[in-house]
Amino acid sequence: MWLPCGCTSKYVASSFARRILASHLHVSGRSRCNVAAFMPEAAGFEGVSGRAALRELSVSNSESFWAAVARHRLSWSIPFHTVQDCDLSRGKIKWFEGGKLNVSVNCLDRHVHTCPERVALIWERDERGSEMKYTYRELLEMTCRVGNLLRRHGVKRGDCVTIYMPTCPLAVASMLACARIGAAHNVVFAGFSADALAERIRDAQSSTVITVNQGVRGGKVIELKKTVDTAVESCPTVKQVFVAMRTDNPVTMTARDIAMEEEMLKEDVVCEPAVMNSEDVLFLLYTSGSTGKPKGLVHTQAGYLLYAALTHRYVFSYHDGDVFGCVADIGWITGHSYVVYGPLANGATTVLFESTPIYPDPGRYWDMVERLKINQFYGAPTAIRLLLKYGDQWVNKYDRSTLKTLGSVGEPINTEAWEWYHRVVGDGRCPVVDTWWQTETGGICIAPRPSDPDAEIVPGMAMRPFFGIKPVLIDTEGELLTSNNTSGALCMAQPWPGMARTIHNNHQRFIETYFQPYPGYFFTGDGAYRSEEGYYQITGRLDDVINVSGHRIGTAEIEDVVNQCPAVAESAVIGYTHSIKGQGVYAFVVLKKGIDVKEADLSRQLNGMVSEKIAKYASPDFIQFAQRLPKTRSGKIMRRVLRKVVESDLEGLGDLSTLDDPAAVQEIIQEQSVLSEST
Ligand code: WTA
């Protein structure tokens, strides 16, 4: 792996960086020290005297708000001429047109000018106590070498590079190198199988893949290069695979493989950044939807970066000099926005966490907090629930006095986990921010902060919309719900710079999924409750997407795999409440007539197939073999009924009159009770 050496050649400012325009902010001159100290841009807004008024303005006059913030917080080589050009009814979203910039310059060069020796990355390697630090200067040099290497191997502006790597500095440098030369990146979570990786490489039409020889996680070696080898066999577009060395073990190299570090040594540490348009693609990131096919959401340059940076700064109250510890993997949107882009755009020190919460023991997170002096810790409820079960002693062993804010993301955080996080981990001193957002939203949309420092925080509630975010609730008839103490489909009434722009190669699906269900609004796919006080609480997905340990997976994706088994006639997969994972996977499977196999053997086979074709986390926790599935007369599987059966809510089965044959439900109930008794 590329190591920081601290003695490489001097950084030479590129001509591009010198061309960066100073930001222009039109300040009205009147003193508004309170709110201006909080957000300098606010000094330019007439009549804004507090945070609430600032938020109000960010929604009512979002163009002025975003224009000021974009001028102030990004470095442009050419300023934008149009703040926004959006039409939600047509799924058209454009921000900061006319503007030109480079994302890697914003994340690196400008900090190298002011504080080259500030630590940009702390790599908390799987091996406890072996962390490594990389300064902004070192990260820029590494990025430039990768950028030059990619360019030398023919990667051009507009190409898409697939990155299949664990969370490590070279993965970050690879993402930034793509941004530097104008290529898009497509990071695939390194827990995905060869099939899942291949599908994403093909859909993204990547000809270049970057990987490592082996990954290391929880003390186990993971053969990532072998997975890539298998994947690219079915990817005719792939011409070259760069292989970095995470471990010392050599791997078989083929003609298309390139030893990454060796080749990087030959490259210059200066790499001319491409001058990108605001709306050029920055990256694709695949996520699950309600069909079997994952969708490659597209994020673009300026709007995404600005939104990631602003949310990082304000939701977590990040201040210069803080150490920000988001333990997400870079393969998910949380890793993109709050490990890489948001923190680096703000010149932060950001932690790359390569391990697991319980390796080598359940004190890992808090030991890391003490060692790295982490000020903001951002993680997933599933890990908190798991650690809570191991007891307070694993937390109390370590000094956590540096912590200022605790964050939660990816799934609802139940009150017990929230309270424990707040009381034990944060010693009751740190605000806990339950942040709601999605791959599609690019950054946090609803969170308790920023608000007044002493504003109340209700456990388990995301509560308050961020600047420029206007959530609405809509009922099943499509009517806007205007009162409080009500629940409905969570939609956004206004565009914001961080939202996804399209689905790669499928703009029609983008429109159908997000903009057609409630015309004029962006539909999140989630339901929410708005309390008497106007706070938002997410109630869960309204579509066939489930959330296992904070990872999104479409039930249809799992069904597609299960149905490929020759013995299976049909299947229905649903999510059920799981005490640690949030949701577990429950599969109902109907076998073809005349099939004679042991159910236990078939269960093992089906679990193996799902791990192999998707990822381990998608593997069913329960498989129930059923005679038939409850269906409507038009043949649609009644998942609502199956969910009720699994959650043992027989009272709540609801109206069964549309069922083709209600006896099917009784059979399922019977079979389910036998299964629960035997486990
Ligand atoms: C769910 C992760 C409740 C939600 C950043 C959303 C949440 C999906 C929360 C997006 C939260 C995320 N409370 N549910 N604080 N945060 N979700 O794309 O269902 O991996 O639609 O993005 O996770 O998952 P994704």
Side-chain angles (χ1 to χ4, degrees):
M1 184 56 60
W2 191 259
L3 303 177
C5 64
C7 60
T8 44
S9 58
K10 228 172 65 201
Y11 167 73
V12 186
S14 73
S15 58
F16 179 85
R18 283 195 297 268
R19 274 190 272 130
I20 290 170
L21 298 176
S23 55
H24 300 287
L25 190 69
H26 306 289
V27 179
S28 73
R30 272 207 275 144
S31 146
R32 294 198 188 87
C33 66
N34 215 355
V35 71
F38 170 68
M39 185 183 278
E41 296 92 324
F45 302 136
E46 281 298 329
V48 169
S49 56
R51 293 188 194 190
L54 181 59
R55 187 191 123 73
E56 185 54 39
L57 175 128
S58 75
V59 175
S60 62
N61 193 351
S62 79
E63 284 216 12
S64 305
F65 177 83
W66 288 117
V69 172
R71 285 192 195 105
H72 185 71
R73 286 174 200 261
L74 296 182
S75 295
W76 300 87
S77 58
I78 296 187
F80 52 89
H81 54 61
T82 306
V83 182
Q84 62 147 315
D85 179 13
C86 303
D87 177 357
L88 290 188
S89 62
R90 294 193 296 130
K92 176 183 166 196
I93 304 134
K94 287 179 196 288
W95 285 86
F96 310 122
E97 276 186 303
K100 291 187 192 287
L101 79 174
N102 183 283
V103 165
S104 81
V105 168
N106 274 274
C107 289
L108 300 172
D109 304 49
R110 57 179 180 163
H111 310 311
V112 172
H113 287 301
T114 55
C115 46
E117 299 310 317
R118 178 182 291 178
V119 174
L121 308 178
I122 308 180
W123 182 22
E124 173 72 4
R125 293 160 20 111
D126 193 55
E127 302 86 346
R128 168 145 82 179
S130 70
E131 70 271 13
M132 293 168 84
K133 297 183 177 173
Y134 295 72
T135 65
Y136 270 93
R137 184 179 52 76
E138 287 163 342
L139 182 58
L140 175 62
E141 289 184 3
M142 201 191 327
T143 300
C144 285
R145 285 181 194 269
V146 179
N148 288 330
L149 180 64
L150 293 174
R151 267 193 184 139
R152 182 156 63 85
H153 282 81
V155 178
K156 294 184 304 299
R157 188 184 170 121
D159 289 352
C160 179
V161 174
T162 294
I163 298 175
Y164 186 70
M165 297 171 103
T167 300
C168 63
L170 208 42
V172 176
S174 299
M175 293 164 77
L176 293 169
C178 289
R180 195 159 192 93
I181 66 171
H185 57 69
N186 165 34
V187 181
V188 178
F189 171 57
F192 275 119
S193 67
D195 281 4
L197 171 62
E199 186 179 5
R200 286 158 176 78
I201 294 174
R202 280 195 302 266
D203 193 79
Q205 295 142 308
S206 282
S207 54
T208 302
V209 177
I210 308 179
T211 190
V212 297
N213 61 335
Q214 297 174 316
V216 189
R217 197 154 180 271
K220 294 197 192 78
V221 168
I222 308 153
E223 300 290 346
L224 296 182
K225 162 72 163 67
K226 279 198 185 136
T227 306
V228 172
D229 285 344
T230 313
V232 299
E233 272 169 28
S234 59
C235 300
T237 52
V238 174
K239 303 270 177 315
Q240 53 193 355
V241 177
F242 292 93
V243 185
M245 297 296 281
R246 168 60 182 86
T247 66
D248 294 333
N249 305 327
V251 282
T252 317
M253 299 288 271
T254 69
R256 80 180 155 241
D257 299 332
I258 300 160
M260 191 162 180
E261 290 98 335
E262 253 175 75
E263 292 300 308
M264 277 170 69
L265 278 175
K266 300 178 189 159
E267 300 296 341
D268 196 352
V269 294
V270 177
C271 173
E272 182 69 16
V275 180
M276 304 302 287
N277 299 312
S278 293
E279 284 300 335
D280 286 337
V281 175
L282 178 61
F283 65 84
L284 317 185
L285 186 60
Y286 283 83
T287 189
S288 297
S290 43
T291 72
K293 195 173 150 45
K295 43 196 177 188
L297 285 157
V298 173
H299 283 282
T300 55
Q301 314 265 326
Y304 168 80
L305 186 66
L306 180 68
Y307 197 73
L310 199 72
T311 46
H312 169 255
R313 163 70 184 80
Y314 286 99
V315 171
F316 301 99
S317 191
Y318 179 86
H319 284 86
D320 243 10
D322 287 347
V323 176
F324 189 77
C326 168
V327 290
D329 192 284
I330 50 146
W332 308 111
I333 191 68
T334 309
H336 282 58
S337 301
Y338 301 109
V339 174
V340 182
Y341 287 112
L344 295 180
N346 288 332
T349 298
T350 180
V351 174
L352 308 180
F353 183 68
E354 193 185 32
S355 195
T356 80
I358 51 166
Y359 181 76
D361 60 47
R364 178 61 188 257
Y365 277 168
W366 325 120
D367 165 53
M368 175 178 77
V369 165
E370 177 181 299
R371 235 181 326 107
L372 309 187
K373 302 192 169 30
I374 289 175
N375 301 111
Q376 290 87 12
F377 181 88
Y378 192 29
T382 182
I384 303 301
R385 284 191 294 266
L386 177 69
L387 296 178
L388 182 161
K389 293 204 191 308
Y390 284 96
D392 300 4
Q393 70 278 15
W394 289 106
V395 187
N396 292 332
K397 249 175 103 170
Y398 300 100
D399 176 9
R400 289 152 285 110
S401 58
T402 50
L403 286 175
K404 294 193 281 193
T405 304
L406 299 171
S408 159
V409 59
E411 44 167 330
I413 178 160
N414 50 310
T415 315
E416 188 194 8
W418 192 100
E419 300 278 2
W420 186 80
Y421 202 23
H422 181 249
R423 182 177 51 79
V424 180
V425 176
D427 272 330
R429 318 174 277 108
C430 307
V432 173
V433 290
D434 172 8
T435 63
W436 176 88
W437 60 294
Q438 317 177 293
T439 306
E440 292 83 343
T441 69
I444 296 164
C445 286
I446 308 182
R449 296 283 190 262
S451 46
D452 284 325
D454 51 358
E456 70 167 331
I457 297 183
V458 182
M461 261 201 178
M463 299 181 78
R464 303 179 176 97
F466 188 70
F467 295 118
I469 297 295
K470 189 175 176 190
V472 292
L473 299 180
I474 304 187
D475 71 12
T476 44
E477 313 292 298
E479 293 296 323
L480 207 59
L481 295 161
T482 50
S483 62
N484 282 352
N485 192 13
T486 188
S487 298
L490 178 66
C491 297
M492 298 295 165
Q494 232 169 248
W496 66 100
M499 67 194 297
R501 303 299 196 255
T502 188
I503 292 174
H504 179 63
N505 272 340
N506 203 343
H507 194 63
Q508 193 49 35
R509 185 174 176 196
F510 184 64
I511 293 174
E512 283 165 14
T513 312
Y514 304 109
F515 302 98
Q516 268 173 9
Y518 302 99
Y521 298 94
F522 167 82
F523 174 47
T524 64
D526 280 322
Y529 164 71
R530 188 169 51 226
S531 73
E532 207 56 78
E533 300 82 9
Y535 301 144
Y536 287 87
Q537 178 169 37
I538 308 307
T539 49
R541 298 289 306 189
L542 299 173
D543 54 12
D544 292 321
V545 172
I546 58 178
N547 197 322
V548 180
S549 305
H551 303 328
R552 256 165 88 163
I553 180 82
T555 52
E557 278 175 80
I558 304 174
E559 287 165 12
D560 275 2
V561 174
V562 170
N563 295 348
Q564 281 169 31
C565 174
V568 172
E570 62 175 346
S571 64
V573 169
I574 57 161
Y576 70 97
T577 308
H578 186 285
S579 67
I580 296 202
K581 298 198 280 187
Q583 283 191 297
V585 179
Y586 197 113
F588 290 90
V589 175
V590 178
L591 298 182
K592 286 183 184 150
K593 294 271 172 287
I595 294 284
D596 182 25
V597 281
K598 276 212 191 99
E599 289 186 351
D601 291 344
L602 194 54
S603 286
R604 254 193 306 280
Q605 188 189 344
L606 293 175
N607 273 311
M609 284 174 72
V610 176
S611 302
E612 201 180 294
K613 300 236 177 250
I614 308 176
K616 271 213 181 72
Y617 75 84
S619 212
D621 299 270
F622 282 105
I623 297 181
Q624 176 174 336
F625 292 95
Q627 297 303 316
R628 54 195 172 141
L629 298 173
K631 290 187 182 166
T632 60
R633 279 180 215 117
S634 58
K636 225 170 145 6
I637 298 170
M638 296 277 277
R639 288 157 201 287
R640 172 178 65 78
V641 171
L642 293 174
R643 268 192 289 270
K644 293 288 176 195
V645 172
V646 169
E647 307 238 302
S648 302
D649 179 13
L650 300 186
E651 303 286 293
L653 281 177
D655 180 14
L656 300 180
S657 61
T658 54
L659 275 180
D660 183 33
D661 180 2
V665 180
Q666 288 315 317
E667 284 171 22
I668 294 270
I669 295 172
Q670 208 67 52
E671 289 155 355
Q672 202 256 345
S673 60
V674 173
L675 184 73
S676 359
E677 272 159 30
S678 64
T679 49

